[in-house]
Amino acid sequence: MTDNFDVLVIGGGPGGYVAAIRAAQLGLNTALVERDRLGGICLNWGCIPTKALLHGADVAHALANAHEVGFTIGAVEFDISKLVQFSRNVSARLSGGVEYLMRKNAVTVIAGTARLAGKGLVDVSTDAGIQRYRADHVILATGARPRTVPGLTPDGERIWTYFEALQPSTLPRSLVVVGSGAIGVEFASLYRDLGTDVRIVEMAPRIMPAEDTAVSEFVRRRFEKRGIGVYTGSRVTAATIHDIGVDLTVDGPGGPEDVTAERVLVAAGIQGNIEGLGLGDIGVETSGGTIVTDDWCRTTAFGTYAIGDVAGGPCLAHKASHEAVLCVEHIAGMSHTRPLDTNLVPACTYARPQVASLGMTEEQARSTGRRLQVGTFDLQASGKALAIAEADGFVKTIFDADSGALLGAHMVGPDVTELIQGFGITASLEATADDLADVIFAHPTLSEAMHESVLAALGKPLNS
């Protein structure tokens, strides 16, 4: 095995393995170092297995509401272990697919733990010892891990991270979720649909604080209607673990309250995996737990790059993959490459209801001083949404009134995570509100709500 490469990637997640594939496609001699499983957190412990579990939650919801469309269903039995195994099988299949792609593209995969040993030098530790490799370009794609909360140290039994929440041995009767970002909200929705008593504790004044205010308020109402308790402006100030659960003190606007749950899930964000890489030894600057990079993913050390979660937010797999391609193509000198515009990165939450957004919230857009055109369309007026008994939700679009540019899009409801890309294409191609108004949307579809929202923003709604 050669120890000299054009590109060496550290980390095999959706940023790292995509970077390796693209580098190899461009004729660069490429290696990828991974200490665990190819596919990273997203494929093995994040995006993919959670969606497999959420599919089970959707089935549970459908069974519970089958009477609405004429079906009478008798006693239903549920085995959490089979749902967990389904999710693990999905992840294993995709991880095997990444291995195949590495072979197909002639990427050298090195199993071990990497550390920067100097300019263009990487030491990889294995059970057999340390092997040194050289590369003209080193790309750091080491991802992130769950952020810890003081007083709530995960023990793998009573206090969980998403690792334990993805593979419970039994379904907990009660669960407190600390944090209401995408991870916390998805698990809260998942476990509630499976029959668990769920409560959410969020420090911010509202749940899903990164989303548009109208979205977070809508989701809160729907969650509370489903029986999910929501504590906002609150924090856990004490936790005592005992044989049957965890006793918590939740301090909020109304004062301290005692809460007991069988399990506690800490979902208070993530932090970059920057430790143990030898960053300081070669002059790689970090800030706030992530690696500082420029528009082309270059760090402060020549020839060293960082992509994905370890380089900061938005911490999303598709952002990491996009950075991987632009980083490698810039290394290869491809002239068409453009820096990442974070306003074009869609955010998706696969709860019930689903949430998807792109660009600015209305509050952010108003803070710019622009004249705005804002349109909203309620899914209660959507024929397709009513036909599938999923009419809880809305689409909201925000345009610059002078230029017609799409500034933000916010969606709540069935399959909006599949629909948001329509607005992504709009923003990427710099289409205007008038351009979208002229598009013919098929009827009856959920996507018509997108069109109706645009028409509402232009002051010419047809169905609302």
Side-chain angles (χ1 to χ4, degrees), residues 265-316:
L265 169 60
V266 179
I270 58 177
Q271 60 191 73
N273 292 322
I274 61 173
E275 298 84 4
L277 291 172
L279 301 179
D281 296 341
I282 67 166
V284 174
E285 182 182 348
T286 62
S287 177
T290 59
I291 296 172
V292 176
T293 59
D294 67 5
D295 287 345
W296 304 111
C297 305
R298 295 176 296 198
T299 72
T300 50
F302 183 79
T304 305
Y305 310 76
I307 60 175
D309 293 355
V310 75
C315 294
L316 300 165

Side-chain angles (χ1 to χ4, degrees), residues 186-205:
E186 286 184 2
F187 276 112
S189 181
L190 162 67
Y191 275 94
R192 183 69 193 115
D193 271 339
L194 296 181
T196 298
D197 177 65
V198 177
R199 281 167 282 188
I200 297 173
V201 179
E202 171 57 56
M203 288 178 58

Side-chain angles (χ1 to χ4, degrees), residues 10 33 35 112-118 121-125 130 140 142 145 272-282 284 286 289 291 310:
I10 300 175
V33 182
R35 66 183 181 186
T113 301
R115 180 182 176 86
L116 302 172
L121 300 176
V122 177
D123 286 346
V124 179
S125 299
I130 298 176
L140 304 172
T142 52
R145 64 187 184 278
N273 292 322
I274 61 173
E275 298 84 4
L277 291 172
L279 301 179
D281 296 341
I282 67 166
V284 174
T286 62
I291 296 172
V310 75

